[in-house]
Every structure is written in structure tokens, then in C-alpha cells.
Amino acid sequence: MVRFSAGRLLESIVVLGVMTFVVYVLIGLMPGDPIDLMIAADPNLTSADAARLKALHGLDKPIVERYWNWLSNAVQGDFGYSRTYTKPVLDVLFPRLGNTLLLMSLSLIFALALAVPIGIYAALHPYSKTDYAINMFCFAGISIPSFWFALLCIILFAVHFEWLPAGGMETVGRGDLLDRAQYMVMPIFVLTISSVGSFTRFMRASMVQTLRQDFIRTARAKGVGTTRLLVGHALRNALLPLVTIVGLSFGNLFSGALITEIMFSWLGMGKMMYDAILGNDFNLALIGLLFATGATLLGNFLADVSQVVLDPRVSFASRENER
Amino acid sequence: MLKWLVAAVFVLVNCAVPARAKDELVIGISQFPNNFNPAIGTMLAKSYILGMARRPITIHDANWEPICLLCTELPSLEKGTAKFELTEDGKPGIAVTYTLLPTLRWGDNTPITTKDVVFTWKVGKNKKAGVGNYELFRRITKINVKDDRTFTLHLDKRTCDFETINGFNLLPAHIEEKNFTDPAEYRNRTAYDTDTTNPGLWFGPYRISKVVQGSYVVLEPNPTWAGKKPAFKRITVKAIEKTAALTANLLSGSIDYIAGELGLLLDQALEFEKQHGKRFNFVYKPGLVYEHADVNLSNPILADRRVRQALLHGLDRESITKQLFDGKQPVAHGSVSPLDSVYNPDVPKYDFDPKRAKALLKEAGWSTKRKGILHNAEGERLQIEFMTTAGNKSRELVQQVMQSMWRQIGIDVRIRNEPPRVYFGQTVRKRKFKGLAKFAWLSAPRNVPLTTLHSSRIPGEDNGWSGQNYTGYNNARMDKLIDDMQVVCEPEKNRALWNEMQILYSTDLPALPLYFRANAFIFPKWLKGVTPTGHQYTSTHWVEDWYAEK
């Protein structure tokens, strides 16, 4: 376990290091930084103004030198200031991270809470009318573009029925728990619907596969009850692929959902990183992306650990050998 | 479990957003300001919000006339408050004297004085401070302070727009001085971003009382404001980036009003009006945003003025604006808006006249038609590349219509669009477009077109791509006119120079004028007193005139 974790940690540090460089260079290679755009749009700005602003923001130095300066400061815990928000990066990032985690984790919990029982039910009644209906629902959830579904929900629940606020995070002058909960209903609903379909499909397929295994037939022959058979024998095995998928989705908890955030004016990581990349806000974009990368690596690690816990046939040594 | 879920939904639904009193106004805009310091950076969303909480010393009003907002009167040569003088190095300069209104106070009741004026200048002229409009502060070589209210600015260049200092945004010395000890760190330490709700930062009819970064700003009446009492007890400005969500918020009542300055595009607003026209008041205000196609005059085909004139005669611009924009965007016959006081209506106009267009092309040597496209005697095709911003639906639509109209007169127009970042950041700025580049200019009223038309402002390797004369227009008479327009300030002579400049522009056509863009304001029926300006100084600068009709 210790060796496995140490190996994974080392691997993660290398991946994060490479990612910082790649992301930094890619952002730097984008043509036309915001100061170029500013000078192109405002006839009163001179090229001397542009040069002065570029020097002020450090954009006049070679990209490798800028990267090295950033890295040297970052390893000492100084992540610098966000260029667009003129605030320390972590002061901008943490509130957004909190908002994203709240939204994404709740939608993940709801999606799993729906997907697991629905997937099991569909697996137990394969090719029945209900199974076909569930399949249709799943494909619809996977296929519906989130911006369109979000807009549909806004028109239906905010404009037509006037049940829920159309967007934002709180009512001005209120902001209590109940008030904030109202604002979360639609984004969580949209995110849940968009992910529940694939989770259900995985759960169903895995469960169908497991129910065909010899050990299930043996357990049935031995007279094991249906509930115990499903929960104690089949589900534990059927969950393995879903755990891997959920592990891979772990990074999304930190990187946010851009379209949903924009549609519901939710101040999350997705929108923040999008703006930071477009605005050449290196410090903010890098830290945001590193959080997401780190979370994805952590998610993979947790998925590996879960595999060992759920499946006695798998050991840390075998996971390491697989790599 | 199900019962609990249903109960929870019931509670949430029944606690939905309560109806607002009419003494509150919620405005929807499509952008959130990056920061709140009025001197650092230029952003329309910031200018919009800060228009309610602070004011520039001078401004152009809704009639596009310069007026004082914080001063007693504009400097005048006749009254002696503006005087021509020589700078220390013997160049022609000017001294302008302003007197601040006696009633001005920051929100913490500290009087606004010349100390704030001098401090603002000190910040503005410091290269490390990151002020957007550095040139304005650099031009001020000295400030003479007479007393707490009266000061004289000495400018190193004599220009006819001396009476206004619209970009001089006062900063509170009593709060910001300590944050400016290290100028390079000022933009990170400014109280405008670290302590935005500090009343001492604001002196408008409203002051910022709450900021939820990226989401909304709440403004409440400023008790130290000595002007007309504002009608609303609270104004909230919400940023909703997606226009579909913006309209949905308006329909659901989450916002009351979509600001024209930063709201829907015209085509979106027209569509919205068709569906919900009865519920709201719509005002379309054309203004300073001049949509045009810059011509690369280094292109041998387009270097011929007759071809450029033929291009305009071949375009039915009236029909374009009527069909696509419901006639709300007036056709441009030059770069100066008809709302500008210096506008000259007697410039050459190019009505839709395909016959005249063909004749001009024939005169220019494009006389042989093969497969519908004109060729010259050397057998070259009349082919022009046409660029604009990819992804801007409205622009791309107009571009396609223009391509189709020009095809009718035998011109093969090839469209090649790029994302704005590449297009403006590289292609236009470095004159890499081969034929036509369609975009818009936003300028100020009476803006002398020095940067866009003077030959000294053609971007190139030699000048580090400085300047915005992207067309490469080089005309000695235009240069002289532009030079004179800045220094010959007697009204009649100055007006004559403006007139000639506009005639020359419309004759030479370094750019093809298309139309002046209009902003769409969508008001609730009860909101009155909002006067769209059409220029860059937003309607919020007169927010104290807004009220709810009972």
C-alpha cells in the first residue's frame, strides 16, 4: 500500500509539472493577448500604452522566463495575483471552488442515487418495456445538449411557472440557506440528468454481466435470498466498472461545468478557468487547471484503492503491475 | 423518502423570489467588471456601474455636448479660463482652469478638493500604476493649485478639445494615498478592489454597498450626494453573460431592465420584441459604433479609388439595414455619426446603383466578364478577400449579403474569417488582411481621426506596429486637415476643417462605411427617465433622473 501510494504520488508530481509547462506555453502561444485586443478596439490607446501595459503585466518577457518565474514562486507557495481580478489567485479561486464542489458533488450524489437503483432494476428486467423506457431516458439524458436543456428548464420553471429563480446564486438581500437552495435546484437538476444516463447504462451493463456469472448461479442454487444475492453478491462485483467511471469523473468536481454555469450565472470553476484562459490570466488559469488535474489524479488513485477494497482478487501489487 | 422530497420541493417552490417593490431596480448586463478602480483599465461594464457611484469632472451629455459634472463651468478662451502658452521646451501648450463644485463630498463626508486632483494626476502619470488612459495624464506637465477648489492644468499640446477632461477620474487621496506607496503594487492594493464598499470611495447619487464578484453589485443612495435625490432605494446590477439567459431572467422577473449599453445584440432584441413587445418598452439608440470595412490600400485592385466607389455603389445598404435590422441602424456615409455636432451631411453619398458601379469598374479596367466575374486586360479576375470576426452571427450574415450583392456586379468576393483574438490581435493590427476587413470603431464625440487616418499612424515594422491606420491611407491633404483640426480652434474655421475632412473621407473611401450600430434598451413599462446617450458615456451618469411611474 505504501509503495503503491508513493509511486502514485511521484507519478502525479511529474504529471502536474509537465501539465504546468504545457498549459503555460499553450496559453502563451495564443495569438493576440488582451492588450493587443484593447489597443485594436480603442483608438485612443497608443502602441506606447500597449508596451507600457505589457511590461507592467510581465508580458514582454520570453515565455520560458515567465514560466520559470511563475514556477519558482509557486513552489514557495506564492501563486501570485490574478491579472484580471487584481486579487491574490487563491482569493479568487477558493470561493469558486467551493461553489463548484457544492454543485458538482450534489449532482454526482443525486446522479448515483438514481443511476444505481435504476440500473439494477433495468438489469433485472432486461428487454422489458421498462428496460426500453429506461434506455430511452438514458440516451435522452446523454444526448440532450446541456445549454438547450438548461434554457428549457429556465423557460419552464422560471418564466412559465415562476417556481424557481432563473439564475444566479442568491436573492439580493436574502442569501439564507433556503434561498440559496432555490437557486441550486435547476443547475443540479440539469447536471444530474446529463450524467445519470451514462451511469445508469454502465450500472445496467455491469449488472447484467454479473448476473450471468457462475457464482451467481451457484448462490441461487444454494438458496440465497434475492436481496442478499443482489446486494451482497452481484452489486459488489457490478459496482467495479462504475467506480472506475466515477473515479475518472472526480476531476469534474473541481473543474466545473462551463455551459451550465454560464446558463445559470453560477460562479464556478468552469467559467473562471474559461475566462482566465481567454484573458491570458496565467496565474489563475494555471492554478485552476492544476486543481482539476490534481483532482483527476486523486480520483484515479481513489478508484484504484476502491477496486482493491471491493474486489479481493485485486491487490495493490497487481494494480502496480498493471501499470 | 419520496414524501420528504416532495415536501422539500414544495417548500422551495413556495419560497420563490418575492415580488420587488417599485423603489428597487434590478438591471441585467452581459458582463461583470474585472475591477472597480475608475483609473485602472477600461471596461464598459465598470463604466456603467461606476456612472452611478462617481462622476468624471467633464462629460458629453445625451445631446453629445460637453458639460461640467463636477466643475462650475468649462474652460473658455474668451473668459480667460483657457490660455494658450508655451511649454518649457518652447512648444505650443495650453493652460485650463477648473473650479470644483462646492458641494462635492466623498461618501464618508470628506470634501473633494484639489488634493484629490493632484493625487489622481500623480497616480495617472506613473507608468507603473497601470492606468489605462496614461496619455491624458502624461500630457499634463504641471498642476497649479489655487485653493481647495480651483486648479489649473498645463497641457503640453494645444488641441481644440481642451475644454474637456473626461478621462480624469478622481481618486480619494485620503484613502488611496497609503495604497500608492509602491506604485507597481497599486493595482493590487487599491481600496476599490480590497474594500469596494468603503463609502469614502464614492461620491455619486449611489454608492456600492455590496459586491458578489462575478454575479451582482448592489448600489444604495449616497447620503453625502448634494444633487437631485435618486428615486430608487436600491439598484442591483446583475451580470448574466448568456443573452438567452438574460432574456429568460427578464421574462421571469429576476431582472427588470436590460441595459442597452451591455445587453442584447440588435437582432436578438428585434426578435425578442416580436415575441414580447407588449410587455416592455423598446428603445433603439444608434450611436458612435461605426461599422465599416477597412480597405487594404496596398492591394493593387483596391488601391484604385474607382473600385472602392464601385463597391459602395454595388451595395444596397438601405436594404441591408432594413431587412436585417428593421431599419434601426442608420446607413453611414462617413465615419462621423449624424448625432455628432461636427457631422457634415453634404458628403458624397453612394446610393445603390449597380449600373454606376459597373461603369466605374469598366473605367478602372475591369471590363471583360467571364462566368459572371469581371477580368481586366491582363486576364486577372476581380477577386477580393473579405474578412471579419468568426462567430459573430450578425457580422457574418451581413458579410454574406454583401458578398452576394457584389457578385451581382461581377466581383468575386472570397470570405475568410478568423476568431476575434487572431483577427484583431494579429491580422488587422499588422495589416495582414489582403482585401477588406469588416469591424467597428468606437470613438468619442468630436473625435479627431488622428490614429485611424493620419499617415504617421500606419502600422508597420518600422514603428513597432503602432497606430490604427490599418488601411495604409496616405493623403497629404488629410494629414494637414487632421493636424489643423487639433489646433485651429475658432469655431467656424474648425467646423470648415471638419467638413472638408469628411468630404475627403467619403470621396477617397479608405474604408467602406456601412452603418452606425444601435443599442437596444428594453425597459419595463414603469421605468422612466433613462436617456440613452449613444456614445461611450453611459446613461447611468444621469441615474438620479430615473424613476418608477406609479
Side-chain angles (χ1 to χ4, degrees):
Chain A
M1 170 75 180
V2 175
R3 198 177 154 197
F4 175 78
S5 303
R8 266 305 172 91
L9 184 68
L10 192 68
E11 190 182 276
S12 302
I13 290 169
V14 173
V15 172
L16 284 174
V18 172
M19 278 297 290
T20 58
F21 184 72
V22 171
V23 172
Y24 203 99
V25 171
L26 282 177
I27 296 175
L29 286 177
M30 286 196 298
D33 64 43
I35 290 158
D36 286 335
L37 296 182
M38 206 190 288
I39 197 169
D42 184 352
N44 293 315
L45 283 178
T46 64
S47 102
D49 285 332
R52 178 178 54 81
L53 290 168
K54 279 190 180 185
L56 192 67
H57 294 295
L59 294 171
D60 56 338
K61 294 186 181 122
I63 192 143
V64 176
E65 189 186 331
R66 273 150 56 195
Y67 171 73
W68 183 249
N69 288 342
W70 175 84
L71 192 65
S72 314
N73 291 329
V75 291
Q76 294 171 56
D78 177 7
F79 297 110
Y81 277 80
S82 155
R83 197 176 63 74
T84 41
Y85 295 97
T86 58
K87 281 183 179 168
V89 159
L90 295 183
D91 286 4
V92 180
L93 186 121
F94 280 135
R96 300 283 187 133
L97 190 63
N99 293 339
T100 286
L101 267 174
L102 186 67
L103 193 70
M104 301 301 285
S105 53
L106 281 174
S107 66
L108 182 67
I109 290 167
F110 282 124
L112 288 173
L114 285 170
V116 172
I118 294 173
I120 294 172
Y121 186 87
L124 289 174
H125 305 86
Y127 312 112
S128 64
K129 282 181 183 171
T130 320
D131 185 33
Y132 284 123
I134 289 170
N135 263 340
M136 203 176 72
F137 165 77
C138 290
F139 284 124
I142 296 165
S143 321
I144 291 176
S146 54
F147 76 90
W148 181 83
F149 189 47
L151 194 60
L152 194 74
C153 289
I154 292 172
I155 291 169
L156 200 63
F157 300 118
V159 178
H160 188 68
F161 294 124
E162 297 183 12
W163 287 351
L164 293 164
M169 295 186 61
E170 61 179 36
T171 307
V172 180
R174 280 186 68 192
D176 52 88
L177 194 66
L178 190 64
D179 178 61
R180 295 197 66 168
Q182 286 177 49
Y183 284 85
M184 287 168 65
V185 172
M186 275 203 286
I188 287 178
F189 179 61
V190 169
L191 287 169
T192 302
I193 294 298
S194 64
S195 53
V196 76
S198 55
F199 288 161
T200 306
R201 294 284 305 157
F202 276 113
M203 190 66 231
R204 180 194 175 277
S206 178
M207 199 67 178
V208 166
Q209 193 77 18
T210 309
L211 288 172
R212 287 182 190 149
Q213 299 284 316
D214 289 347
F215 73 91
I216 295 290
R217 197 173 55 219
T218 309
R220 273 204 182 111
K222 283 166 72 181
V224 175
T226 310
T227 311
R228 199 176 154 210
L229 182 85
L230 287 177
V231 178
H233 295 265
L235 182 61
R236 192 168 169 174
N237 284 277
L239 275 178
L240 288 172
L242 191 67
V243 165
T244 309
I245 299 298
V246 171
L248 290 172
S249 311
F250 193 71
N252 294 346
L253 295 181
F254 296 82
S255 58
L258 177 64
I259 304 293
T260 311
E261 286 174 10
I262 290 177
M263 289 305 292
F264 293 107
S265 306
W266 188 265
L267 303 175
M269 289 283 284
K271 179 71 175 51
M272 186 204 75
M273 283 199 281
Y274 176 76
D275 288 342
I277 292 168
L278 283 189
N280 277 29
D281 192 341
F282 285 85
N283 292 346
L284 192 57
L286 272 163
I287 296 300
L289 288 166
L290 284 182
F291 256 94
T293 311
T296 307
L297 293 170
L298 181 67
N300 283 345
F301 173 72
L302 292 176
D304 281 346
V305 173
S306 307
Q307 295 265 354
V308 176
V309 173
L310 286 168
D311 190 346
R313 292 167 300 178
V314 183
S315 65
F316 284 114
S318 67
R319 296 299 296 166
E320 205 169 344
N321 290 337
E322 278 176 26
R323 295 191 294 120
Chain B
M1 172 68 184
L2 190 65
K3 276 183 192 169
W4 282 106
L5 199 66
V6 171
V9 170
F10 182 78
V11 169
L12 285 173
V13 161
N14 281 285
C15 293
V17 195
R20 270 188 306 280
K22 284 284 193 291
D23 53 7
E24 284 183 28
L25 176 69
V26 182
I27 307 170
I29 59 174
S30 57
Q31 206 181 49
F32 195 86
N34 286 338
N35 64 67
F36 288 93
N37 189 309
I40 295 176
T42 50
M43 196 178 186
L44 191 53
K46 181 167 74 177
S47 170
Y48 186 84
I49 293 169
L50 298 197
M52 299 185 243
R54 52 163 309 286
R55 298 283 157 86
I57 295 175
T58 61
I59 200 170
H60 283 85
D61 65 12
N63 298 318
W64 297 37
E65 290 299 329
I67 56 163
C68 265
L69 280 186
L70 306 183
C71 46
T72 52
E73 62 178 357
L74 293 173
S76 145
L77 288 166
E78 292 76 34
K79 289 180 182 170
T81 44
K83 282 180 188 165
F84 291 140
E85 62 180 12
L86 293 178
T87 60
E88 281 177 4
D89 50 359
K91 289 180 183 164
I94 190 167
V96 284
T97 300
Y98 293 91
T99 300
L100 297 173
L101 293 169
T103 51
L104 296 175
R105 285 181 173 273
W106 296 100
D108 57 2
N109 221 13
T110 306
I112 296 177
T113 65
T114 43
K115 196 181 169 196
D116 299 310
V117 175
V118 174
F119 172 70
T120 304
W121 174 56
K122 198 172 124 188
V123 174
K125 72 186 173 101
N126 193 308
K127 286 184 178 178
K128 291 180 182 169
V131 169
N133 197 357
Y134 169 74
E135 182 59 18
L136 168 74
F137 296 100
R138 190 203 57 76
R139 281 181 56 198
I140 302 168
T141 55
K142 195 167 63 172
I143 298 183
N144 284 345
V145 173
K146 188 181 169 196
D147 54 40
D148 271 358
R149 289 173 47 217
T150 305
F151 60 98
T152 302
L153 306 179
H154 296 272
L155 302 163
D156 71 350
K157 195 177 172 191
R158 198 175 291 172
T159 55
C160 299
D161 60 354
F162 63 80
E163 58 188 0
T164 55
I165 44 169
N166 295 357
F168 202 108
N169 294 304
L170 287 180
L171 300 171
H174 67 293
I175 293 176
E176 289 288 78
E177 213 149 26
K178 64 176 185 295
N179 300 323
F180 191 65
T181 45
D182 177 3
E185 279 297 306
Y186 176 62
R187 67 186 191 282
N188 296 325
R189 289 184 184 163
T190 171
Y192 281 99
D193 293 316
T194 57
D195 187 18
T196 312
T197 55
N198 185 335
L201 298 170
W202 312 111
F203 60 93
Y206 289 89
R207 60 185 175 83
I208 293 179
S209 62
K210 188 177 181 185
V211 176
V212 175
Q213 194 68 37
S215 183
Y216 66 84
V217 175
V218 180
L219 297 114
E220 285 172 358
N222 174 11
T224 66
W225 169 251
K228 185 179 174 183
K229 199 179 169 203
F232 292 101
K233 283 186 185 161
R234 184 160 68 185
I235 292 183
T236 304
V237 183
K238 270 189 179 181
I240 301 168
E241 197 170 317
K242 209 80 186 160
T243 47
L246 197 59
T247 50
N249 272 267
L250 184 67
L251 290 171
S252 70
S254 300
I255 58 172
D256 299 310
Y257 155 49
I258 296 181
E261 291 94 339
L262 271 162
L264 302 186
L265 294 174
L266 185 66
D267 49 344
Q268 293 167 332
L270 289 168
E271 190 55 39
F272 186 73
E273 187 180 9
K274 275 183 201 161
Q275 293 171 32
H276 307 284
K278 286 180 185 168
R279 282 183 61 184
F280 304 96
N281 286 335
F282 291 77
V283 172
Y284 298 94
K285 177 75 180 179
L288 271 174
V289 184
Y290 168 52
E291 192 77 27
H292 66 282
D294 259 12
V295 179
N296 190 335
L297 298 171
S298 308
N299 179 322
I301 297 174
L302 293 165
D304 190 326
R305 190 166 74 179
R306 292 166 297 190
V307 174
R308 304 198 293 272
Q309 292 174 337
L311 282 168
L312 267 196
H313 273 305
L315 269 189
D316 190 354
R317 291 173 294 165
E318 287 289 352
S319 171
I320 289 175
T321 180
K322 197 175 171 188
Q323 298 298 324
L324 300 181
F325 306 115
D326 205 22
K328 300 285 194 287
Q329 307 203 118
V331 169
H333 299 291
S335 60
V336 178
S337 164
L339 297 172
D340 204 322
S341 60
V342 290
Y343 172 70
N344 178 11
D346 302 319
V347 297
K349 294 187 176 71
Y350 300 87
D351 296 331
F352 179 51
D353 187 350
K355 278 185 187 168
R356 177 83 187 117
K358 284 174 190 167
L360 279 164
L361 289 174
K362 195 174 179 182
E363 223 177 278
W366 302 98
S367 49
T368 317
K369 211 169 194 179
R370 286 187 221 139
K371 292 182 183 172
I373 301 298
L374 290 167
H375 290 68
N376 62 12
E378 285 79 43
E380 290 166 335
R381 278 168 77 84
L382 181 48
Q383 188 176 300
I384 297 167
E385 187 181 86
F386 189 10
M387 300 185 76
T388 195
T389 41
N392 184 326
K393 277 194 294 179
S394 175
R395 267 204 186 129
E396 287 181 321
L397 185 62
V398 173
Q399 186 191 35
Q400 285 162 20
V401 174
M402 289 166 73
Q403 180 193 38
S404 146
M405 286 177 173
W406 282 331
R407 185 74 170 74
Q408 301 296 315
I409 55 168
I411 304 175
D412 179 17
V413 173
R414 299 289 170 97
I415 288 175
R416 187 170 74 85
N417 294 341
E418 288 179 340
R421 210 184 156 98
V422 184
Y423 182 64
F424 292 119
Q426 293 284 324
T427 307
V428 173
R429 205 166 77 87
K430 295 195 172 175
R431 303 189 61 226
K432 287 182 180 169
F433 60 101
K434 292 175 188 158
L436 303 169
K438 184 175 181 292
F439 60 98
W441 278 125
L442 172 63
S443 59
R446 297 188 201 182
N447 183 57
V448 177
L450 170 72
T451 61
T452 51
L453 293 177
H454 201 282
S455 63
S456 64
R457 303 303 177 99
I458 299 172
E461 287 271 21
D462 51 331
N463 64 4
W465 304 105
S466 156
Q468 289 151 330
N469 185 347
Y470 303 133
T471 65
Y473 183 55
N474 188 345
N475 183 312
R477 182 62 195 154
M478 181 64 90
D479 288 353
K480 179 82 172 72
L481 285 168
I482 289 171
D483 291 339
D484 289 350
M485 279 158 67
Q486 296 177 81
V487 293
V488 179
C489 304
E490 292 85 350
E492 279 181 19
K493 286 183 186 169
N494 186 269
R495 184 60 202 247
L497 293 167
W498 271 99
N499 286 347
E500 191 185 339
M501 183 280 290
Q502 290 172 75
I503 290 169
L504 187 55
Y505 181 89
S506 297
T507 309
D508 272 0
L509 295 176
L512 307 181
L514 298 173
Y515 46 83
F516 289 99
R517 283 219 306 252
N519 289 333
F521 293 76
I522 308 178
F523 301 110
K525 298 271 185 193
W526 48 264
L527 179 62
K528 305 288 172 191
V530 183
T531 311
T533 62
H535 53 61
Q536 77 272 43
Y537 304 107
T538 58
S539 53
T540 50
H541 286 89
W542 295 272
V543 69
E544 60 271 34
D545 295 334
W546 300 8
Y547 64 98
E549 195 175 57
K550 297 198 173 143

